[in-house]
């Protein structure tokens, strides 16, 4: 079975490929982008993108929208994570959290999977953890060097793809997609 992952983020593609190829799914890469609306939740952003892409991609495809939600910042950067990462990066987040004792944060990942003529399926994965006090590790992407998932003392930036997938929001949402696809194989 071949499915397409629409993303311009190579890190996300690597993580999805590592999981889906293990169950015999060939993952193709669509990297031309799609509109990301400004909405206050990840599901609306992803559904809108999937509607747009269903006119561009003929094969079964999925896309994923993710964000980092920090409790002491009232859920910021949340749906604005991509923009905030571009503007202030990990360093900017650490600065905002300087005097903060409550380091709790969670990553959320929403996958929308679509086959021609069928209703879209939504899969949601979350990963709880802490914002570290300094950047650690050079692997991964985005906020990986400042996020320590619960149950580990490493940041995502210190993990290889396989290890990150065992903990991560995306590892979980892709696992749900994989379970759904396995039934069809
Ligand atoms: P989007 O899903 O591409 O809109 O992702 C939003 C932003 O959240 C990305 O640009 C990253 O900065 C951040 N992000 C999403 N998932 C991850 C992750 O697994 N690790 C680190 N940062 C992430």
């Amino acid at each position: 079975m071949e499915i397409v992952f629409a993303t311009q983020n190579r890190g996300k593609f690597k993580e999805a490929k590592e999981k889906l190829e293990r169950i015999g799914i060939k993952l193709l890469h669509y990297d031309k982008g799609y509109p990301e609306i400004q909405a206050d939740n990840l599901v609306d952003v992803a559904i809108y993108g999937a509607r747009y892409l269903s006119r561009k991609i003929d094969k079964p495809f999925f896309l994923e929208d993710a964000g980092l939600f920090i409790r002491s910042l009232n859920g910021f950067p949340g749906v604005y994570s991509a923009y905030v990462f571009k503007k202030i990066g990990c360093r900017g987040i650490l600065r905002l959290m300087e005097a903060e004792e409550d380091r709790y944060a969670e990553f959320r990942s929403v996958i929308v999977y679509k086959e021609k003529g069928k209703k879209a399926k939504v899969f949601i994965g979350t990963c709880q953890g802490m914002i570290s006090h300094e950047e650690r590790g050079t692997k991964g992407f985005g906020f990986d060097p400042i996020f320590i998932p619960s149950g580990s003392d490493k940041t995502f930036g210190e993990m290889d793809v396989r290890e990150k997938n065992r903990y991560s929001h995306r590892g979980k949402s892709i696992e749900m997609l994989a379970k759904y696809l396995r039934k069809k194989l």
Side-chain angles (χ1 to χ4, degrees):
M1 185 182 193
E2 286 185 346
I3 63 174
V4 177
F5 184 12
T7 180
Q8 291 188 308
N9 181 324
R10 291 177 143 277
K12 285 188 179 185
F13 187 78
K14 257 203 225 163
E15 290 173 18
K17 194 172 154 87
E18 190 271 326
K19 276 200 99 84
L20 292 175
E21 291 202 340
R22 273 197 262 160
I23 60 158
I25 288 169
K26 180 160 185 217
L27 198 59
L28 307 174
H29 194 179
Y30 177 92
D31 64 357
K32 295 198 183 81
Y34 52 86
E36 288 195 38
I37 54 162
Q38 206 55 266
D40 62 6
N41 73 84
L42 297 173
V43 176
D44 289 350
V45 180
I47 294 269
Y48 186 90
R51 268 202 209 117
Y52 170 89
L53 286 175
S54 61
R55 296 189 293 270
K56 309 266 174 206
I57 303 176
D58 284 328
K59 291 183 193 279
F61 73 89
F62 70 97
L63 56 81
E64 191 246 14
D65 200 46
L68 176 64
F69 296 75
I70 301 174
R71 184 165 61 194
S72 64
L73 303 179
N74 293 325
F76 182 85
V79 291
Y80 308 108
S81 293
Y83 180 75
V84 170
F85 181 76
K86 253 184 251 146
K87 292 289 177 193
I88 65 170
C90 291
R91 269 221 217 146
I93 295 291
L94 289 180
R95 215 170 296 138
L96 288 176
M97 302 275 296
E98 235 160 37
E100 190 53 67
E101 276 175 29
D102 175 11
R103 315 292 297 182
Y104 177 85
E106 65 183 52
F107 267 118
R108 296 181 197 151
S109 158
V110 172
I111 283 182
V112 175
Y113 172 77
K114 180 84 177 79
E115 283 179 28
K116 270 237 139 44
K118 296 208 179 137
K119 234 179 130 212
K121 299 282 298 176
V122 178
F123 304 96
I124 301 176
T126 61
C127 176
Q128 304 185 333
M130 299 287 183
I131 300 298
S132 58
H133 288 275
E134 70 288 305
E135 290 185 53
R136 290 199 331 243
T138 53
K139 294 179 186 144
F141 65 92
F143 297 113
D144 279 346
I146 58 167
F147 185 82
I148 305 169
S150 300
S152 171
D153 48 18
K154 289 187 196 169
T155 66
F156 276 160
E158 296 173 302
M159 297 182 182
D160 61 23
V161 170
R162 201 163 184 165
E163 189 176 10
K164 179 180 170 187
N165 267 343
R166 282 207 294 271
Y167 293 96
S168 81
H169 49 310
R170 187 165 305 102
K172 290 175 187 148
S173 58
I174 290 171
E175 188 60 40
M176 290 176 207
L177 171 66
K179 260 195 198 137
Y180 173 77
L181 295 173
R182 228 181 268 137
K183 282 194 210 138
K184 293 168 160 289
L185 289 174

